Amino acid sequence: MGEKGVLLGNTGSQSHSFSNTEVINDDAGGAFVSWYSYAPKALSPEFHVTKLDTDGKTRWQQDFSRVDQLISDGNGGAILWLHRC
């Protein structure tokens, strides 16, 4: 991505679709970005969470089957409510 943005994900394929993108301030200059991705023929979507630092660099990324809510903990971390079946 160029100077005005951060590339959050690239599957290299036009076959995936994405939805429910959310950006949460981490209260330490960075952010958490979450979104759902849908692969062709998948039975359910994947939920992704990425931690960006103050420079927009990815610090980590984690995939989940479902997250009900994502909020900042006020100290640079996040609290995730995971869905249990």
Side-chain angles (χ1 to χ4, degrees):
M1 197 84 201
E3 331 173 353
K4 297 187 178 190
V6 175
L7 179 63
L8 298 176
N10 184 3
T11 65
S13 168
Q14 297 297 321
S15 62
H16 284 71
S17 62
F18 304 91
S19 70
N20 297 26
T21 303
E22 187 173 5
V23 178
I24 306 292
N25 181 350
D26 73 355
D27 298 319
F32 295 95
V33 181
S34 63
W35 70 97
Y36 282 99
S37 68
Y38 301 86
K41 300 181 184 177
L43 297 177
S44 61
E46 278 193 346
F47 186 84
H48 310 277
V49 178
T50 297
K51 166 72 165 136
L52 302 175
D53 66 15
T54 57
D55 295 321
K57 294 180 181 159
T58 299
R59 304 312 298 166
W60 55 261
Q61 179 173 324
Q62 184 68 47
D63 302 327
F64 301 94
S65 59
R66 180 172 169 190
V67 174
D68 288 332
Q69 189 172 9
L70 169 70
I71 63 169
S72 172
D73 69 0
N75 292 310
I79 300 169
L80 292 98
W81 275 267
L82 301 175
H83 178 79
R84 296 185 77 179
C85 295

